[in-house]
Amino acid sequence: MSGIYIHIPFCKKACSYCDFHFSTSLKYVDEMTDAICEEIIRKKSRITDQVGTIYFGGGTPSVLPSKGFEKIFNTITKHFSVSSDAEITIEANPDDLDAKKINELRKLPVNRFSIGIQSFFDEDLIWMNRAHNAGEAESCIKRSQDAGFENLSIDLIYGYPLLTDNKWLRNINKAIEFQTPHISAYSLTVEPRTALANAIKKANSLLLMMNKVPRNS
């Protein structure tokens, strides 16, 4: 079976470490949705077998209005043969998955969430410039499960300065407590031209300047 990946290039906030293509403005969300549908139509001949997976990545797909998802799904099903048991995933941030949004997505063919938890600790999320807090990280998982979304994947990040072995173990144990069937663990990387890379560069420059300042004997 074939798979379809769709990039939704919008986010509420820019995470300090992120170098993906995205915009924090939703000004052109309708135009982008139309462009995605046009791209699907133009490339309909590329897939001749059944579609077994559809994955919405980003960016933060969960910021896309439900009517946008509906339009994209209608275009896909019109031009491709989608398996009746296809896995259809939307990447989501915890702060987007309130009861209203979950209920809207429940009416669509979506059957899996990939949730960007990253950490269950507020101080870590603040350091990463995430839009959600630790409470939202936990409540959105429970809320999704209660709504029938049992096929969940959660993202966790390790390798950043605030993380200790004990906190990492607690993050993993929390994910296990929620019985999430899939965990994606990512090591923090410092990508060029990100806010994190600029902060490190400035800190190193400041440290270098301080080391050059003459010390009084």
Side-chain angles (χ1 to χ4, degrees):
M1 287 190 177
S2 296
I4 295 176
Y5 174 84
I6 296 174
H7 185 78
I8 306 297
F10 301 106
C11 290
K12 285 182 179 177
K13 294 178 69 176
C15 298
S16 60
Y17 52 82
C18 183
D19 73 334
F20 293 156
H21 174 71
F22 69 91
S23 171
T24 54
S25 170
L26 294 176
K27 181 179 180 180
Y28 297 107
V29 67
D30 291 335
E31 289 84 349
M32 177 58 70
T33 301
D34 290 340
I36 290 172
C37 292
E38 180 64 25
E39 183 79 359
I40 292 169
I41 295 169
R42 287 176 179 269
K43 296 186 176 179
K44 61 182 179 180
S45 62
R46 292 196 176 187
I47 298 178
T48 57
D49 56 349
Q50 271 200 319
V51 174
T53 60
I54 301 173
Y55 192 98
F56 289 84
T60 311
S62 53
V63 303
L64 186 69
S66 298
K67 65 178 182 178
F69 281 116
E70 185 175 1
K71 188 171 187 177
I72 293 171
F73 280 128
N74 287 340
T75 305
I76 290 175
T77 55
K78 181 178 180 180
H79 297 283
F80 297 103
S81 174
V82 180
S83 172
S84 59
D85 61 350
E87 183 178 79
I88 302 176
T89 304
I90 289 179
E91 288 185 353
N93 277 349
D95 49 298
D96 293 326
L97 293 179
D98 57 18
K100 181 175 181 293
K101 186 72 171 186
I102 292 173
N103 288 334
E104 289 176 352
L105 294 175
R106 189 65 180 159
K107 298 175 184 178
L108 299 173
V110 181
N111 52 35
R112 182 174 182 264
F113 288 152
S114 177
I115 308 176
I117 298 294
Q118 315 309 358
S119 174
F120 289 102
F121 293 91
D122 280 330
E123 62 267 26
D124 298 355
L125 297 170
I126 292 171
W127 185 85
M128 297 176 195
N129 200 38
R130 297 291 292 173
H132 69 280
N133 57 44
E136 289 172 321
E138 295 190 30
S139 63
C140 81
I141 296 175
K142 184 65 166 58
R143 192 180 301 120
S144 298
Q145 292 171 329
D146 289 344
F149 287 98
E150 297 180 0
N151 191 7
L152 300 178
S153 172
I154 67 171
D155 293 350
L156 294 173
I157 293 181
Y158 63 90
Y160 51 93
L162 276 64
L163 188 66
T164 64
D165 289 346
N166 179 260
K167 285 171 70 176
W168 179 243
L169 182 61
R170 290 167 67 185
N171 274 336
I172 295 296
N173 285 337
K174 181 68 69 174
I176 294 173
E177 287 174 15
F178 279 111
Q179 298 182 330
T180 50
H182 187 270
I183 300 171
S184 293
Y186 300 94
S187 174
L188 179 72
T189 55
V190 182
E191 302 291 350
R193 297 185 299 277
T194 61
L196 178 59
N198 290 334
I200 292 173
K201 184 177 180 181
K202 289 180 180 179
N204 288 340
S205 297
L206 179 60
L207 183 61
L208 182 62
M209 290 174 60
M210 292 177 63
N211 288 336
K212 290 182 177 179
V213 173
R215 299 294 195 274
N216 295 325
S217 58

